[in-house]
Amino acid sequence: MVYCRGRHVPPPAQPCPPAPPQRSDPYDVRLNDLDERIVHALAEDARRSYADIGSIIGLSAPAVKRRVDRLRAEGAITGFTVRVDPAALGWETEGYIEIYCSRNTSPESIKQGLARYPEVASASTVTGDADALVQVFAADMRHFEQVLERIAGEPYVERTKSVLVLSPLLRRYSSGSPG
C-alpha cells in the first residue's frame, strides 16, 4: 500500500496526482452553480437533509454531503446557526450607530471595543464619513440610549450618529447572489 493524499491505496501505475493547489487568499472562495444552490438551500433551512437538497438540485444525498464537506473545509461554509426573532429574547428596539473615530484607530481596535457589548448584533467598517456602522438591539428606548452612551464613551470614539428602525422591511439570511 502507498499513502497518497491522505489515504492508503494500492501502488499506482503512475505517480500520485498532485494535490490541488492551496488558496493563497482565504477569502477567495468561488462557488460553482451547484455549490451556490446548495448554500442557498442551507441558508433557507440549515436543518434541511442532504436528500432534500439533492432532490431540489438534482444530486444524490452522498454527493450533496461531499460538496458540503468540501465547502466547509474550504471555508465557504463557516458554520450552521439558528435565527431567533430578537423580540422573543426581549430585544424590542433596533437601531444603527455610525461611529466616527479618532485618527489612527484600527478596525481591530473598533472590533475589540464593540465585542464587549452583547447588544451589538453586527459592526462593519464603511465608506463615507463614518468609520464604522453598528447594528444594536436593545430592550427598549432607554436601554438603546444607555448602549449608545457607553459606545460614545469608548476612548477611540470622537462622535456618533444614530438612527432607530421603525419597521424592518426586508431581511435576507442567505449568502451570495439571489437564486
Side-chain angles (χ1 to χ4, degrees):
M1 292 296 222
V2 175
Y3 192 73
C4 177
R5 293 196 337 178
R7 300 185 334 202
H8 289 293
V9 296
Q14 297 185 1
C16 256
Q22 295 295 316
R23 291 179 299 139
S24 59
D25 181 0
Y27 297 105
D28 186 24
V29 177
R30 299 283 187 251
L31 302 181
N32 65 33
D33 181 59
L34 285 174
D35 291 341
E36 192 169 320
R37 290 167 59 197
I38 290 169
V39 167
H40 283 288
L42 288 170
E44 287 175 7
D45 181 2
R47 295 184 56 175
R48 182 174 267 162
S49 72
Y50 294 141
D52 183 38
I53 295 169
S55 69
I56 293 169
I57 65 171
L59 290 176
S60 67
V64 171
K65 182 188 181 317
R66 282 191 301 273
R67 284 177 175 267
V68 169
D69 289 346
R70 179 180 49 78
L71 291 168
R72 291 184 71 197
E74 291 176 352
I77 294 176
T78 59
F80 300 89
T81 189
V82 62
R83 292 186 300 262
V84 178
D85 179 357
L89 299 173
W91 304 98
E92 300 283 341
T93 302
E94 177 183 5
Y96 289 87
I97 302 171
E98 289 182 351
I99 297 180
Y100 300 81
C101 298
S102 53
R103 285 186 163 275
N104 301 323
T105 300
S106 70
E108 186 59 33
S109 295
I110 299 169
K111 179 181 176 181
Q112 287 177 359
L114 295 173
R116 296 190 305 267
Y117 297 93
E119 299 90 348
V120 172
S122 67
S124 303
T125 54
V126 294
T127 62
D129 293 334
D131 295 293
L133 182 66
V134 182
Q135 181 185 28
V136 172
F137 285 97
D140 53 31
M141 192 67 72
R142 179 69 190 133
H143 182 200
F144 181 85
E145 184 178 13
Q146 290 168 345
V147 174
L148 175 61
E149 289 170 356
R150 289 189 349 246
I151 289 174
E154 290 288 338
Y156 54 85
V157 175
E158 286 190 345
R159 69 183 177 98
T160 62
K161 181 178 174 184
S162 62
V163 294
L164 293 169
V165 173
L166 298 176
S167 298
L169 300 175
L170 176 66
R171 296 200 193 270
R172 287 199 174 121
Y173 298 100
S174 63
S175 301
S177 62

